[in-house]
Amino acid sequence: MEYDALTGWDDDATAETYAAFTRAYPMYSASSRDLAARAGLADSRVIVDLCGGTGTTAEAILALAPPDATVVSLDSSAAMQGIGRRLLSDPRVTWVNAAAEVLADHVPAGSVDAVVCNSAVWKTNVADVVNAVRRVLRPGGRFVFNVGGVFAGVTHPAALTPPTGLSLSALIEQIAIQDYGIVPPTAPVPAKLPLPVITELLAHAGLRVVAAEVTGQSTTNAERSAWLSIPVFAHPEGALSYEQKMAILAEATAQTKPDDVTVTSWLVIVAELPEEV
Ligand SMILES: C[S@@+](CC[C@H](N)C(=O)[O-])C[C@H]1O[C@@H](n2cnc3c(N)ncnc32)[C@H](O)[C@@H]1O
């Protein structure tokens, strides 16, 4: 089967801006460290960084894994990996340019102690990814990943407190409507990966959920604005050029306080291949 995973990601501007963002702001390094900590890497030998991008998650894994462990960082975007190879020249990391769904074509069956996937799984064909992960894990091995709250249909209690004034996203929407005539989509994003669906997909592949937690990640407006300047995330979606989107972002950002914080929700899952399988 062919996998069309590259929507927007195999782009040099996105890769460069993403890498600069991850080094300037904690969003991806913090969530990567959180997942790596949950993966129980102390005795691991082979770890897969699934949808590893520019290597931020691989760095978090290396910090917790034994010195002789190796990390396979797999991603379908050559542009993202090109930056990763340049910035993370650690001989323990192998870079594999492939779709997550075909992980098992690139890693020997039963050879992996842990698969860690930060901020990506909902972009994949999850059933195929889970099956691939199950094939490469050793008995007792872990699959640790997170799902954005919108896609999992979860909200952390701290995210329920309404921000003072309009959020950056609401301001962007308002400016796009008023100044550019853009009508944003009104339908809410369906929660395509709620916990029962994830649990069922994992169970179908023979994996068991050992922990599931809703977490909240605090982000300042300054960080959120920098994140929205990464071309693949630039808002609003649709007909506007990147320059127009950046003009809207600048105008919206100017109406917010840089240090004001909003909370993003995540569903974090730790799954395991039972020993007896
Ligand atoms: C938000 S980035 C996360 C990268 C990294 N895990 C981190 O925390 O910095 C999402 C990554 O998922 C990758 N991706 C999306 N769909 C994919 C798929 N089906 N197979 C492999 N990589 C995929 C993109 O190319 C991108 O590098």
Side-chain angles (χ1 to χ4, degrees):
M1 190 188 289
E2 294 276 316
Y3 293 99
D4 178 21
L6 288 174
T7 322
W9 283 103
D10 201 21
D11 171 79
D12 288 338
T14 280
E16 291 282 359
T17 321
Y18 184 92
F21 173 79
T22 58
R23 271 144 189 89
Y25 295 97
M27 184 186 292
Y28 290 103
S29 51
S31 50
S32 293
R33 280 198 303 273
D34 174 51
L35 297 189
R38 293 169 194 258
L41 301 177
D43 298 319
S44 56
R45 296 161 61 90
V46 181
I47 304 128
V48 170
D49 171 19
L50 198 64
C51 304
T54 56
T56 301
T57 311
E59 273 186 284
I61 292 168
L62 287 170
L64 294 180
D68 57 348
T70 57
V71 177
V72 177
S73 186
L74 181 143
D75 198 286
S76 51
S77 165
M80 293 288 279
Q81 290 201 313
I83 308 261
R85 285 170 200 266
R86 205 175 73 215
L87 294 178
L88 182 61
S89 58
D90 191 308
R92 292 172 294 168
V93 181
T94 306
W95 301 88
V96 177
N97 184 215
E101 292 84 349
V102 295
L103 166 68
D105 294 349
H106 297 274
V107 177
S111 67
V112 172
D113 300 289
V115 176
V116 179
C117 180
N118 183 47
S119 302
V121 88
W122 64 93
K123 306 171 208 288
T124 69
N125 178 324
V126 183
D128 288 355
V129 166
V130 167
N131 282 323
V133 168
R134 188 257 175 266
R135 283 176 59 196
V136 304
L137 278 182
R138 65 156 172 82
R142 286 187 163 188
F143 179 27
V144 183
F145 59 96
N146 51 15
V147 181
V150 169
F151 303 99
V154 298
T155 307
H156 188 270
L160 293 171
T161 313
T164 45
L166 285 180
S167 69
L168 193 56
S169 299
L171 285 163
I172 287 170
E173 195 167 294
Q174 195 180 67
I175 296 164
I177 293 168
Q178 282 171 4
D179 297 356
Y180 294 83
I182 298 293
V183 182
T186 47
V189 180
K192 67 171 193 170
L193 280 179
L195 181 57
V197 170
I198 295 171
T199 305
E200 172 60 28
L201 287 169
L202 290 164
H204 193 255
L207 296 167
R208 172 179 79 203
V209 174
V210 293
E213 187 185 343
V214 177
T215 63
Q217 185 174 37
S218 296
T219 313
T220 62
N221 280 327
E223 179 167 17
R224 189 156 289 277
S225 181
W227 181 74
L228 286 166
S229 74
I230 301 170
V232 75
F233 296 130
H235 276 35
E237 285 173 22
L240 299 177
S241 68
Y242 180 70
E243 287 68 28
Q244 287 172 315
K245 291 177 185 181
M246 290 306 98
I248 294 173
L249 178 61
E251 195 178 330
T253 302
Q255 295 175 48
T256 65
K257 293 196 183 118
D259 295 333
D260 278 2
V261 162
T262 51
V263 176
T264 306
S265 305
W266 291 94
L267 178 60
V268 180
I269 305 281
V270 180
E272 195 172 82
L273 180 61
E275 294 277 1
E276 65 271 18
V277 171

